[in-house]
Amino acid sequence: MQYSKSTDYALHALLHLGHPERHANVGIKELSATLGVSESYLSKIMSKLRQDGIVRAVPGVNGGYELARPAGRITFLDVIQVMEGREQLFECSNSKSQQHQLLADDGADEPVRERRGNGECLVEKVMLGAQQHLHQYLQEHTIQSLLDEAFKRHFNLEGNKK
Amino acid sequence: MQYSKSTDYALHALLHLGHPERHANVGIKELSATLGVSESYLSKIMSKLRQDGIVRAVPGVNGGYELARPAGRITFLDVIQVMEGREQLFECSNSKSQQHQLLADDGADEPVRERRGNGECLVEKVMLGAQQHLHQYLQEHTIQSLLDEAFKRHFNLEGNKK
DNA sequence: CTATTGTGGACCTGTGATATCCATAATAAA
DNA sequence: TTTATTATGGATATCACAGGTCCACAATAG
């Protein structure tokens, strides 16, 4: 259970695009060279980011990519969901509510069922909670906030050197 | 990016074993029938749980499985890590610290590097934070806490019916 | 000794991640 | 308008892994 390399590449590419002293359009060549990823593969990723409105792309001479909105409004969650899809973290495979009566007192009049009629599995419920926690955290971190952090460190290091 | 079915099966199997009115050893046949999963596949999963000390197994007539420790000390995280492995949620693939200078001011004297010499990638750092949040949540939920929740609901429903 | 029950290895299949290559479309500059 | 540049999308290849089956073997109770 790990985020894919595509997500890695996407995040780093966006950080490059979000750099304050970038010119408007960054070509796939520059991105490819910077990240050390092949142009062909990286362009697939950028294409996906474009389809989901994270970046804009312009073909032709001097074309390239740029962020479609301010870096502060591109969250980690946004990027991850584009690359990894929006399925939920966990799905109970016993959705047919078969003999899913984990807690059935055999022979009792009122078996306690772990899953109730409304298709609600308690395991799934816990995992949904986990997912919500995760997503909330990922939403609080944006391309911009990471850039800020990087610059903060830069200046701290500068200060220490003197 | 989703937890595997094995994790699903494992959690449900443990809930079955954790049921207060279970006899000591539950055979693979009973588990298989309850979960609706083939014996052969489920036994692989139980084997794994045994190797990691989550359950105990005894072969032979009247053999079967039982929890190796109280249900309150078997957390969701425990189970997930057995089934999914213990790799971290995200790993920066640019570990060779190549030209990973995402924030390099071209031509500036002091390029700000997103990754510093100590192999610390800021993207990875954010993701590690996410992982910690997730793990903390998953550690707070145990097989026992889910059983308790199920029984609580049971009695609430009972009350409503009268 | 025998029936029962878990263990572990070999094997199979489909799917998805990672990646490459190429033809095509769009665009700016000459 | 032509040409060079740059992004797009389809086809394809490879590989690992999830999910699953089958079987021989070991351990155990009666």
Side-chain angles (χ1 to χ4, degrees):
Chain A
M1 238 278 300
Q2 224 187 223
Y3 286 128
S4 65
K5 288 193 176 187
S6 303
T7 296
D8 183 347
Y9 300 155
L11 283 168
H12 282 100
L14 291 173
L15 285 169
H16 192 74
L17 295 186
H19 189 281
E21 295 170 17
R22 280 297 149 214
H23 30 283
N25 285 333
V26 179
I28 196 70
K29 279 196 170 60
E30 180 177 334
L31 281 176
S32 166
T34 309
L35 301 195
V37 179
S38 81
E39 297 180 23
S40 40
Y41 191 48
L42 195 53
S43 59
K44 299 281 185 207
I45 292 166
M46 298 311 295
S47 229
K48 220 171 191 175
L49 290 173
R50 184 191 60 87
Q51 284 165 18
D52 269 70
I54 308 286
V55 302
R56 269 190 295 268
V58 13
V61 183
N62 292 328
Y65 300 95
E66 60 178 352
L67 299 185
R69 55 176 187 266
R73 294 207 349 255
I74 301 178
T75 72
F76 269 59
L77 183 60
D78 290 335
V79 182
I80 288 171
Q81 288 193 325
V82 170
M83 301 312 298
E84 306 281 335
R86 284 170 177 78
E87 315 163 313
Q88 53 187 52
L89 188 62
F90 180 90
E91 257 173 300
C92 179
S93 55
N94 215 343
S95 46
K96 316 102 198 168
S97 88
Q98 294 170 207
Q99 60 261 70
H100 192 202
Q101 52 225 53
L102 251 294
L103 304 183
D105 304 337
D106 312 73
D109 287 327
E110 291 281 346
V112 181
R113 291 171 194 280
E114 183 211 342
R115 167 189 283 280
R116 302 233 158 256
N118 37 6
E120 177 189 345
C121 170
L122 286 185
V123 175
E124 201 170 286
K125 224 178 145 225
V126 170
M127 299 298 263
L128 266 179
Q131 179 178 323
Q132 278 161 11
H133 272 240
L134 181 62
H135 282 191
Q136 193 200 329
Y137 179 94
L138 291 172
Q139 245 167 352
E140 289 165 359
H141 291 260
T142 67
I143 299 299
Q144 186 64 53
S145 70
L146 196 146
L147 290 170
D148 292 346
E149 175 73 12
F151 278 109
K152 207 182 70 191
R153 297 191 165 211
H154 174 54
F155 291 127
N156 283 348
L157 243 69
E158 283 291 288
N160 289 345
K161 269 181 59 180
K162 289 175 187 175
Chain B
M1 237 278 299
Q2 225 188 224
Y3 286 127
S4 65
K5 288 193 176 188
S6 303
T7 297
D8 182 348
Y9 299 155
L11 284 168
H12 282 100
L14 291 172
L15 285 169
H16 192 74
L17 295 185
H19 190 282
E21 297 170 16
R22 280 297 147 212
H23 32 284
N25 285 333
V26 179
I28 196 70
K29 278 195 171 59
E30 180 178 332
L31 281 176
S32 167
T34 309
L35 300 195
V37 179
S38 81
E39 297 180 23
S40 41
Y41 192 47
L42 194 53
S43 60
K44 300 283 185 204
I45 291 166
M46 297 312 293
S47 230
K48 221 171 190 174
L49 290 173
R50 184 191 60 86
Q51 283 166 20
D52 269 69
I54 308 286
V55 301
R56 268 190 297 268
V58 12
V61 183
N62 293 327
Y65 301 94
E66 60 178 352
L67 300 184
R69 56 176 187 265
R73 295 209 346 258
I74 300 177
T75 72
F76 269 59
L77 183 61
D78 291 334
V79 182
I80 288 171
Q81 288 193 324
V82 170
M83 301 312 298
E84 307 282 334
R86 285 170 177 79
E87 316 163 313
Q88 55 187 51
L89 188 61
F90 180 90
E91 258 173 299
C92 179
S93 55
N94 215 343
S95 46
K96 315 104 200 167
S97 86
Q98 294 170 209
Q99 60 262 69
H100 192 204
Q101 52 225 51
L102 251 294
L103 303 182
D105 305 338
D106 312 72
D109 287 327
E110 290 282 345
V112 181
R113 291 170 193 279
E114 182 212 343
R115 167 189 283 280
R116 300 236 158 255
N118 38 5
E120 178 189 345
C121 170
L122 287 184
V123 175
E124 201 168 287
K125 224 178 145 225
V126 169
M127 300 297 262
L128 266 179
Q131 180 178 323
Q132 279 162 11
H133 272 240
L134 181 62
H135 282 190
Q136 193 201 329
Y137 179 94
L138 291 172
Q139 245 167 353
E140 290 165 358
H141 291 260
T142 68
I143 300 298
Q144 187 63 54
S145 69
L146 196 145
L147 290 171
D148 291 346
E149 175 74 13
F151 279 108
K152 207 182 69 191
R153 298 193 164 209
H154 174 54
F155 291 127
N156 283 350
L157 244 69
E158 283 292 287
N160 289 345
K161 269 181 59 179
K162 289 176 185 173

